[in-house]
């Protein structure tokens, strides 16, 4: 899986030392990751490593051993179950000491998983903890569900029990409308990330055989402002790339909005009607944001075509979890091993 990960099309590959590794295999997993980082070609993706939780005795050795031996190939460290600013400051301090001791000028970024009730409550505090290293927040839906004691066993899926029942209509029929039990958590992370200059990334969708379910989950996150989504199986990677890359129709409409507003401005107007809808300055900002994302994706693909990953950590991205996470693409897929 480590050998395949760089070529699967994810923008970020996440090498996992936490949940995907049994306790007896932790030390060997570090050795495997060090060898993979030093021996494999990671030029076509960004590379992240998820360490074990800060409440375990594995954590500091994860950072020290891997960063000392192969840190030049790492773009970000992923902190699981981040709960407060102190978690980020601990990892940042350790990274600074190692980087200084090894005389490395290139700093490793930090991304965090928000996957506990405490982490959600302290989301903004976490985002502000270390602005020189912090890059992204990921919603860890499974552990969050456990933390809030949700009555669900689905990883990222919907539940028929989170629904509203309408009053009887004229035919005495009632209708059940499913809701999204993760909407608050997703919205909270998106708002905090955008306020603090970080990238919001949606987490895993467990049923990798349910393509429609994954697409629906990814589209929901995209509408809320997320830049990408994890893939826990290689088959999910192209679907994330599809959803988080602006489609041709949206791009064409964005160009039309900008052209319409330029014409309106030339005529001394602050707003104009396009396709029967009001278009104003806010419309331009939305269109320009979307087109800027497309430009980033296209630039990333040009680098990929030349076999270059770049060195700017996460731009819009792509992560893929459960196979083994540079900064440019819209979708975020994370492969964990």
């Amino acid at each position: 899986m480590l050998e395949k990960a760089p070529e699967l099309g994810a923008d970020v590959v996440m090498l996992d030392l936490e949940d995907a590794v049994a306790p007896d295999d932790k030390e060997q997993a570090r050795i495997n990751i060090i060898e993979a980082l030093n021996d494999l070609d990671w030029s076509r993706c960004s590379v992240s490593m998820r360490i074990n939780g800060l409440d375990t005795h594995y954590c500091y050795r994860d950072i020290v051993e891997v960063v000392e031996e192969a840190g030049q190939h790492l773009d970000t460290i992923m902190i699981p179950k981040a709960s407060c600013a102190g978690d980020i400051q601990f990892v940042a301090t350790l990274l600074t000491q190692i980087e200084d001791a090894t005389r490395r000028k290139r700093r490793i970024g930090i991304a965090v998983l928000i996957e506990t009730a405490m982490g959600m409550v302290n989301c903004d505090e976490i985002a502000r903890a270390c602005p020189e290293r912090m890059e992204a927040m990921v919603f860890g839906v499974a552990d969050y569900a456990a933390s809030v004691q949700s009555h669900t066993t689905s990883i990222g899926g919907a539940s028929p029990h989170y629904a509203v029942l309408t009053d009887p209509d004229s035919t005495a029929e009632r209708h059940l409308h499913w809701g999204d039990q993760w909407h608050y958590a997703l919205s909270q992370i998106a708002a905090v990330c955008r306020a603090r200059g970080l990238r919001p990334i949606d987490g895993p969708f467990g049923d990798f055989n349910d393509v429609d379910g994954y697409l629906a989950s990814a589209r929901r996150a995209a509408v809320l402002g997320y830049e990408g989504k994890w893939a826990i199986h290689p088959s999910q990677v192209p679907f994330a790339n599809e959803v988080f890359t602006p489609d041709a129709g949206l791009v064409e409409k964005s160009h039309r909005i900008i052209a319409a507003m330029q014409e309106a401005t030339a005529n001394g107007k602050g707003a104009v009607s396009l396709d029967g809808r009001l278009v104003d300055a806010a419309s331009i900002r939305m269109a320009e944001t979307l087109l800027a994302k497309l430009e980033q994706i296209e630039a990333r693909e040009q680098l990929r075509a030349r076999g270059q990953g770049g060195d700017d950590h996460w731009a819009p991205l792509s992560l893929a979890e459960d196979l083994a996470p540079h900064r440019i693409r819209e979708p975020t897929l994370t492969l964990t091993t």
Side-chain angles (χ1 to χ4, degrees), residues 12 14-18 47-54 63 74-82 91 95 108-115 136-139 201 230 314 317 319 325 332 334 336:
V12 183
M14 190 182 77
L15 312 175
D16 192 20
L17 289 171
E18 196 210 16
V47 188
S48 181
M49 177 179 70
R50 180 166 65 172
I51 59 176
N52 283 282
L54 274 64
I63 300 172
L74 271 178
D75 295 303
T76 55
I77 294 289
M78 174 73 72
I79 303 175
K81 300 179 180 66
V91 174
L95 285 174
I108 296 173
I110 291 176
V112 299
L113 273 159
I114 302 299
E115 51 186 344
M137 284 185 161
V138 182
F139 177 43
I201 309 300
W230 280 17
W314 305 30
L317 39 128
L319 292 167
T332 298
T334 317
T336 64

Side-chain angles (χ1 to χ4, degrees), residues 6-84:
E7 305 298 327
L8 292 175
D11 295 301
V12 183
V13 172
M14 190 182 77
L15 312 175
D16 192 20
L17 289 171
E18 196 210 16
D19 285 353
V21 181
D24 291 344
D25 296 330
K26 299 291 187 182
E27 292 187 13
Q28 184 59 48
R30 290 190 204 118
I31 295 172
N32 293 344
I33 284 179
I34 291 169
E35 291 179 350
L37 287 171
N38 288 328
D39 297 344
L40 300 178
D41 180 7
W42 300 96
S43 63
R44 294 173 63 82
C45 62
S46 176
V47 188
S48 181
M49 177 179 70
R50 180 166 65 172
I51 59 176
N52 283 282
L54 274 64
D55 59 346
T56 73
H57 64 278
Y58 305 112
C59 171
Y60 81 104
R61 297 306 313 171
D62 291 344
I63 300 172
V64 172
E65 291 184 21
V66 178
V67 175
E68 283 188 346
E69 297 296 326
Q72 67 272 25
H73 303 297
L74 271 178
D75 295 303
T76 55
I77 294 289
M78 174 73 72
I79 303 175
K81 300 179 180 66
S83 62
C84 64

Side-chain angles (χ1 to χ4, degrees), residues 169-223:
D169 60 20
S170 58
T171 64
E173 186 176 359
R174 306 181 75 180
H175 303 276
L176 190 69
H177 297 287
W178 288 26
D180 176 13
Q181 70 267 40
W182 312 123
H183 180 77
Y184 163 75
L186 286 165
S187 298
Q188 163 82 341
I189 292 172
V192 167
C193 281
R194 294 312 181 188
R196 302 304 177 187
L198 306 180
R199 289 175 163 80
I201 309 300
D202 195 14
F205 185 87
D207 187 354
F208 53 82
N209 292 309
D210 184 2
V211 174
D212 289 338
Y214 183 87
L215 286 170
S217 179
R219 287 169 181 150
R220 169 199 62 191
V223 169

Side-chain angles (χ1 to χ4, degrees), residues 67-284:
V67 175
E68 283 188 346
E69 297 296 326
Q72 67 272 25
H73 303 297
L74 271 178
D75 295 303
T76 55
I77 294 289
M78 174 73 72
I79 303 175
K81 300 179 180 66
S83 62
C84 64
D87 292 349
I88 286 72
Q89 291 161 353
F90 166 76
V91 174
T93 299
L94 198 50
L95 285 174
T96 297
Q97 292 177 348
I98 298 170
E99 290 163 348
D100 290 348
T102 55
R103 294 181 172 83
R104 289 186 186 136
K105 295 181 180 180
R106 181 171 176 271
R107 299 300 187 183
I108 296 173
I110 291 176
V112 299
L113 273 159
I114 302 299
E115 51 186 344
T116 65
M118 186 61 71
M120 194 63 67
V121 169
N122 293 331
C123 205
D124 189 55
E125 172 190 319
I126 293 168
R128 293 183 286 110
C130 186
E132 66 272 22
R133 288 193 189 266
M134 282 288 290
E135 297 194 9
M137 284 185 161
V138 182
F139 177 43
V141 62
D143 277 304
Y144 182 74
S147 178
V148 299
Q149 302 182 32
S150 170
H151 288 201
T152 181
T153 57
S154 171
I155 299 178
S159 171
H161 301 298
Y162 194 79
V164 293
L165 185 65
T166 66
D167 289 338
D169 60 20
S170 58
T171 64
E173 186 176 359
R174 306 181 75 180
H175 303 276
L176 190 69
H177 297 287
W178 288 26
D180 176 13
Q181 70 267 40
W182 312 123
H183 180 77
Y184 163 75
L186 286 165
S187 298
Q188 163 82 341
I189 292 172
V192 167
C193 281
R194 294 312 181 188
R196 302 304 177 187
L198 306 180
R199 289 175 163 80
I201 309 300
D202 195 14
F205 185 87
D207 187 354
F208 53 82
N209 292 309
D210 184 2
V211 174
D212 289 338
Y214 183 87
L215 286 170
S217 179
R219 287 169 181 150
R220 169 199 62 191
V223 169
L224 286 174
Y226 278 66
E227 293 203 359
K229 182 172 179 61
W230 280 17
I232 63 170
H233 189 275
S235 65
Q236 294 177 331
V237 172
F239 299 121
N241 288 341
E242 172 191 334
V243 169
F244 289 96
T245 300
D247 65 55
L250 202 53
V251 171
E252 189 269 340
K253 186 170 183 178
S254 296
H255 283 298
R256 290 176 60 219
I257 287 173
I258 292 174
M261 277 305 298
Q262 288 175 339
E263 182 179 352
T265 301
N267 294 328
K269 298 178 180 179
V272 68
S273 176
L274 179 67
D275 299 335
R277 298 192 178 192
L278 176 70
V279 174
D280 59 9
S283 305
I284 280 206

